[in-house]
Amino acid sequence: MDRYTGDTGYTSVSAANCLDVHYRPQTGRQPNPFLQRLVCAPYSLDTLSGILSDTLLLRWLGNSLIVASLHTLLVLTLCSLTAYALSKLNVPGGKWIYLLILAGLLIPLEVIAVSQFQVAKNLHLLNTLTVLIVPGAAAPFTVIVLKTFMDAIPDELIESAEIEGAGKFLIFRKLILPISASSMFALGILAFLQSWNSFLWPFLVITDMNKFTLPVGIPTLLSSFTVDYVTPMAVSMLSSLPAMLLFLIFQKKIVKGVAFTGIKG
Amino acid sequence: MPHNRLNLKRRYGYLIYILPFMLVYLVFTLWPILYGFYMSLHKWGITGPISFVGLHNYQYLLKDEMFWSSLGHSSLFVFISTPLMVVLALGTALLCNLGTRWKTFFRTGFFLPTVLSVTVVSYLGTYIFNPSIGLVNTLLRYVHVLPQGSNIDWLGNTPTAWLAITLVTLWWTVGTNMLLFLAALQDIPDSLYEAAALDGATPLQRFIYVTLPQLRSIMGVIIMLQIIASYKIFPQIYYMTKGGPNNTTKPIIQYIYEQGFMNDRLGYSVSMSVPLFIILLALALIQLRLRGRSEGGIQ
């Protein structure tokens, strides 16, 4: 990691660095050293390109994107189908199934992580991306919020569609899904962020560096004891960028989504 | 025959919608819970023979000082962080609700850290609280609170390490609670404030007699969610202090992880999740009770 230090040291524009190195008692009017350094620093992209070529960061970024996207897709598919069935199809024992799902909401996954690990091991799923995508896909929270939402869709609407000859699945696809789109979107963003930031589970089930996601991979590149601050800063920035962009683009919808789900769930 | 198939589809068609979810749910959530109890009755390594030991793991648990102290540390964190988290979330939500043109800026600023990965947050934490080059000590030296050349080893002493961990977690996660408060604040009908203003209530009185009572139910929910979330603390501590100095910041989840995966005692580590499970379940049930009551009150 030492190769990233040296002349490129000023690429990290951190307040601590600048204060530490450049604060001196000033006599008379002189240009502000902080600003001067900020403007004239020898900026370069060497560190970034070095990190990209020498580490697996891009690979982890790719893994994170694949895992979080597929996870989100799976959550939305499984949960919306189930919510639809529980809300609009007269499922025998539906009330009991709903209670069983509600019970899952009370169980923090951190507490059963060890036995989940053993189950994943028995199924030979350790060190696969599947084990990061599938287990959390049956999300009780998402089902409950979606069911609450679908309960509010009037049955008359569905009956009139049935009279026109639409089947159950067509009604789901052409009627229920478009109406639920906004809450699906919000829940999808939350599922994406949750998977993106998930730490404990990937930490337990993945040991192959090529299969790491960002939260598990980053610490292997960071060390708080080296004199090199640039690499860790660049790593942190690169890895935070996609989630930040996602947030900034969809800010309004996320805020609405959290507010919506927060009150119902 | 076609008639029969149609009948079959009508009777069991719903299964197509529910089965995929229930399959994943059974295999990865419900089964691990039962399996965990079963595992806790065994001497169970990641590799090697598995043998039935009955309640031995639980007996050992009762005498294991490290278990009790790490459970204590997690509880301590819950105790410090929850009030701070709730008060700060309410404060920031009020700030965002003022209706100034800074509203979006505040909301983005307070919420943005929650999208950061925990490892990035922890790294920034170790960097900010680093004794020699960290931001905190540098600032303290800059304003001459700290003499030049001297250091405070924030992460190397127990009380300050807890302070640092709490502050970092606060900064990272306060956004979610803030949004919940913000949503509730925006649900308070304007007519209540207008009526209070007509009666000559000062802004402070309006806050105490209108806003706070209206926030009571969401406040209960947030407190409970926060307690449960704080009990699950692990990665920040793992990367900022590794549980040190002298294991005085080691949380229960870290101890479970260490016993299971580093000491190869999965059976014992699962038995530790049982008391934690009971604590969290009890809290969740209290939350449900409270919420049920407050919703009943509105209707």
Side-chain angles (χ1 to χ4, degrees):
Chain A
M1 277 198 195
D2 280 332
R3 50 172 303 208
Y4 300 128
T5 52
D7 279 349
T8 56
Y10 290 116
T11 23
S12 110
V13 190
S14 86
N17 267 350
C18 297
L19 284 176
D20 225 18
V21 182
H22 308 296
Y23 170 70
R24 285 180 189 84
Q26 298 289 325
T27 50
R29 283 178 69 85
Q30 280 176 18
N32 182 329
F34 180 86
L35 279 180
Q36 201 175 20
R37 193 53 88 172
L38 208 63
V39 176
C40 311
Y43 293 108
S44 92
L45 292 173
D46 290 356
T47 313
L48 290 185
S49 60
I51 289 170
L52 292 181
S53 59
D54 293 2
T55 69
L56 288 168
L57 194 73
L58 269 187
R59 171 135 208 176
W60 300 335
L61 189 73
N63 287 345
S64 274
L65 282 173
I66 293 172
V67 166
S69 316
L70 290 182
H71 174 80
T72 308
L73 208 67
L74 198 63
V75 167
L76 290 180
T77 313
L78 296 187
C79 295
S80 62
L81 285 171
T82 305
Y84 171 58
L86 289 178
S87 174
K88 297 299 178 199
L89 311 177
N90 286 317
V91 177
K95 219 174 186 173
W96 292 106
I97 296 175
Y98 185 68
L99 271 179
L100 204 62
I101 294 175
L102 197 67
L105 196 62
L106 303 181
I107 294 147
L109 291 178
E110 281 77 359
V111 176
I112 56 168
V114 178
S115 47
Q116 269 186 324
F117 169 87
Q118 187 63 41
V119 170
K121 189 181 166 218
N122 293 349
L123 296 171
H124 302 288
L125 286 175
L126 295 186
N127 275 319
T128 60
L129 291 187
T130 317
V131 80
L132 299 181
I133 296 168
V134 178
F141 181 71
T142 314
V143 174
I144 288 162
V145 174
L146 279 178
K147 181 187 177 293
T148 316
F149 190 86
M150 289 175 187
D151 282 343
I153 300 174
D155 287 338
E156 290 81 15
L157 212 62
I158 291 163
E159 278 159 21
S160 64
E162 270 176 341
I163 290 168
E164 309 232 339
K168 302 270 182 233
F169 190 70
L170 197 70
I171 291 175
F172 172 69
R173 210 161 53 89
K174 295 274 179 181
L175 195 69
I176 303 283
L177 276 190
I179 296 177
S180 323
S182 67
S183 57
M184 294 266 287
F185 189 89
L187 289 166
I189 294 274
L190 289 181
F192 186 94
L193 281 180
Q194 202 169 27
S195 169
W196 180 265
N197 283 337
S198 159
F199 175 79
L200 186 64
W201 183 241
F203 183 66
L204 294 182
V205 294
I206 305 288
T207 47
D208 174 1
M209 282 194 102
N210 285 306
K211 306 257 170 60
F212 276 180
T213 52
L214 281 175
V216 187
I218 296 167
T220 63
L221 303 179
L222 303 184
S223 165
S224 45
F225 300 108
T226 60
V227 282
D228 168 25
Y229 314 119
V230 186
T231 311
M233 283 295 171
V235 168
S236 302
M237 194 203 77
L238 275 179
S239 57
S240 308
L241 222 52
M244 286 225 190
L245 283 178
L246 192 78
F247 170 75
L248 289 174
I249 295 170
F250 296 118
Q251 208 215 110
K252 277 214 169 114
K253 287 197 168 179
I254 295 173
V255 171
K256 215 184 280 172
V258 173
F260 170 75
T261 51
I263 287 171
K264 303 274 172 173
Chain B
M1 258 339 199
H3 178 75
N4 251 349
R5 193 183 290 163
L6 201 72
N7 227 342
L8 213 67
K9 199 180 156 193
R10 187 163 293 158
R11 280 178 81 174
Y12 298 108
Y14 66 87
L15 283 177
I16 301 165
Y17 299 90
I18 292 190
L19 272 184
F21 178 93
M22 286 315 276
L23 197 70
V24 176
Y25 191 59
L26 281 174
V27 172
F28 290 108
T29 305
L30 296 179
W31 173 240
I33 294 169
L34 298 176
Y35 199 50
F37 283 113
Y38 173 76
M39 282 172 76
S40 72
L41 302 176
H42 293 74
K43 183 175 185 294
W44 193 301
I46 297 174
T47 52
I50 292 161
S51 56
F52 182 78
V53 293
L55 292 175
H56 177 266
N57 281 331
Y58 291 97
Q59 285 166 346
Y60 188 83
L61 185 73
L62 291 173
K63 287 178 290 186
D64 184 355
E65 280 178 25
M66 200 60 214
F67 164 74
W68 290 107
S69 70
S70 58
L71 187 64
H73 297 150
S74 292
S75 309
L76 175 75
F77 178 73
V78 170
F79 195 68
I80 331 173
S81 71
T82 306
L84 284 174
M85 200 68 93
V86 173
V87 170
L88 204 70
L90 180 59
T92 49
L94 287 170
L95 204 61
C96 293
N97 201 40
L98 279 181
T100 60
R101 59 208 173 97
W102 291 92
K103 164 168 93 174
T104 315
F105 172 77
F106 284 141
R107 207 170 57 188
T108 311
F110 293 130
F111 189 74
L112 201 57
T114 53
V115 309
L116 293 178
S117 173
V118 63
T119 39
V120 170
V121 168
S122 315
Y123 172 73
L124 288 177
T126 49
Y127 183 59
I128 289 168
F129 289 101
N130 181 302
S132 51
I133 52 100
L135 181 66
V136 176
N137 277 353
T138 308
L139 280 177
L140 287 180
R141 278 194 292 263
Y142 187 74
V143 297
H144 298 292
V145 170
L146 205 62
Q148 296 298 320
S150 63
N151 291 322
I152 298 176
D153 189 4
W154 293 94
L155 296 175
N157 296 301
T158 310
T160 50
W162 277 115
L163 184 73
I165 290 164
T166 311
L167 287 177
V168 168
T169 312
L170 213 62
W171 168 72
W172 180 40
T173 59
V174 78
T176 325
N177 290 346
M178 177 196 80
L179 280 191
L180 296 180
F181 270 129
L182 194 58
L185 279 175
Q186 285 168 355
D187 271 358
I188 301 176
D190 287 337
S191 57
L192 286 180
Y193 288 110
E194 285 157 15
L198 274 181
D199 289 340
T202 62
L204 184 67
Q205 283 172 326
R206 266 178 275 167
F207 175 71
I208 293 173
Y209 295 110
V210 180
T211 313
L212 277 186
Q214 291 285 319
L215 289 180
R216 236 178 51 201
S217 71
I218 190 76
M219 187 97 83
V221 173
I222 290 174
I223 291 172
M224 279 301 160
L225 287 177
Q226 187 55 51
I227 291 174
I228 293 169
S230 292
Y231 257 117
K232 299 192 286 196
I233 189 170
F234 164 56
Q236 304 95 297
I237 295 184
Y238 190 67
Y239 284 116
M240 284 174 69
T241 67
K242 301 256 182 299
N246 257 328
N247 291 329
T248 48
T249 59
K250 186 187 283 182
I252 181 69
I253 304 269
Q254 184 181 346
Y255 191 53
I256 290 176
Y257 161 74
E258 286 174 356
Q259 284 298 322
F261 294 94
M262 291 162 85
N263 295 350
D264 200 20
R265 298 167 75 186
L266 286 184
Y268 181 52
S269 79
V270 175
S271 74
M272 279 192 272
S273 9
V274 174
L276 186 59
F277 178 73
I278 293 169
I279 294 176
L280 290 173
L281 199 66
L283 290 172
L285 288 175
I286 293 172
Q287 179 203 347
L288 272 188
R289 274 290 292 276
L290 286 177
R291 206 166 66 191
R293 196 184 301 159
S294 66
E295 270 169 16
I298 288 168
Q299 277 155 10

